[in-house]
Amino acid sequence: MSVSGRGLYDKIVDLAKRRGIFWVSFEIYGGVAGFYDFGPIGVLIKRNIMNQWLKYFVYSRENIIEVETPIVNPRVVFRASGHEEHFTDPVLVCSKCGRVYRADHLIKDVIGVNVEGWSPGEITKLVREKGLKCPECGGEFESAFNALLLFTTQIGPYKGETAYLKPEHAQGMFINFPHLFKIMRSTLPLGIAQVGRVARNEISPRQGLLRLREFNIMEVEFFFDPAEAEREVYEVIGEVEDEKVRVVTAEERIKGVEEPIEYTVKELIEKRIVKTPWLAYWMGIGNKYVKSMGIPGDKIRFLEKLTHERAHYSAQTFDQEVYTERFGWIEVAGYAYRTSYDVERHAELSGADFTVFKRFKEPVVVKEEKAYPNPGEISKIISGDKLKELLQSLYQRKPEEVARELREKGFVELAGIKLPSSCFYLKTEEVKLHGEKIYPHVVEPSFGLERLLYVILEYSYMEREDKVVLRLPPYLAPYHVAVFPLMTGKKPEHVKMVEVARSIYRNLVGRGFRALYDEEGSIGRRYARSDEIGIPFAVTVDHQTLDDNTVTVRDRDTTMQVRVKINELEKYLVEKIGLEFLI
RNA sequence: GCGGCGGUAGUCUAGCCUGGAUUAGGACGCCGGCCUGCCACGCCGGAGAUCCCGGGUUCAAAUCCCGGCCGCCGCACCA
């Protein structure tokens, strides 16, 4: 088959392997599904995608900070997050044909029993009692077990504590929220970002870079006060209020509509399409970010997840999808409204204080009923050491709580003894409240780096006269500029060209450019090689250079050349590339 | 995990059906040399293949059979 006849995906995979972008890991041992190695060009492009993300989501915002937390997490972290419960599925395997079923789904469909929360042992017992067989081949089922999609390991080389590799960064930010909140002078909203590796033990990873077992996530957990969200969003919305995003709402999807409707970020908020305005804000930022990397706006859409598609922690989720030739619409980012779910779970299991003190504009005076013990009356019911003990524990309790219990039940129960209201002095006091404690809510934009890499490659891949040109935006290119001598022979002027080209190369590198020097093969071949990995500009030292200190700068996309003075080359390139590369 | 299809140098591929004379052929790329006044130039030379792995059938296996690994597609799964 000719090169142009094959699919885009195949061409990208070939290019990626040939030029050192990515390839299947552990190749010499036959490869392992779901793992990819990234080569010299791949790591550079990935880092640029990451830098671009940091610029959009972190560096240009005063209230977003970045952290790095361990990949290995003790079990309790994912017990708190609900992953241990929800990320695991009870599974039944047919002993005859080997088919795997979700036990809860199958039992509900066939027997009509809801086994949610049952142990594998209980499920196995039910399957045996009811004689449930494999619906495909009629074979017996093996004992049910929980298939956990978290990678499991141990902390400590022997007899270690069970631990999991994190499947997302989120918990690292939640756990550190109380500490970081103080560092950031106790101010909301506060965004905590993290970029790096996570691992998911996928049952059957497939589709190249799109479903990996180890990959990079770029994620922000954005903590805010839901009551102030609308006001605070409007303080910063200028940047994105008119940004147009294409959305398919859950309501539309239920009706069978897949065609997105275009809204501005402001409209998403005003029409109450989003359950918190911050969701719309971050969708706007994410839309701009993805467009900045060469993805056309009309190839991006946000798909609201239906209730049953959403993760356990989410009140509303939008997937940001990009249209690909090979796989259709694929998710590159998720925007989840996690409410205070995680924060409250970690508060509960750790005992740490995750609340935020919210100061009122004016102190509020509230009347509060309080009940103080009346030892004289109590001694009529009980005496001696028992009285002493009782009084001690009574003094431990807050008078307003005691009053409430009296109000609700008519008595206070302590160590089996019921104390009527006659045992208390009841008082109504005025209390000045300066604020209240609230749990912050969280919105989470979360990007898959490798998926972005793939869609960016798809949209930048072009062929010109059977040659590959990777039209990467200049700031994503692995190198900003290539430097070539026109001739590399033995004639004195050829030797001089090499010398000048090398010195230009060294100067550019010294000034912070990523530059590539190449003198192998013909000039045309060198242009072709640099086009293939997306280098946007090529500087050539030719005969005229030796006369007047000018070089030609060739544009990758137009192949047009302009002549530039060597001492103005840096300025010229900075103008062309933009300042993005200086991150 | 199940089923279907596939796996030959860095890449793309011929050969497989119909087992043997092909030293596993070609193109591109790569390396060395010559040449070369701007878009994969030309010439000469060179390196590069566990024919995915293991087993079986056979006098003989890249080729046929079985198992495994990997990839793609469909199903299941994707918190």
Side-chain angles (χ1 to χ4, degrees), chain A residues 333 420 443 471:
Chain A
V443 159
R471 286 195 169 166

Side-chain angles (χ1 to χ4, degrees), chain A residues 108 129 155 297 352:
Chain A
K108 195 167 191 179
E129 278 171 11
I155 300 175

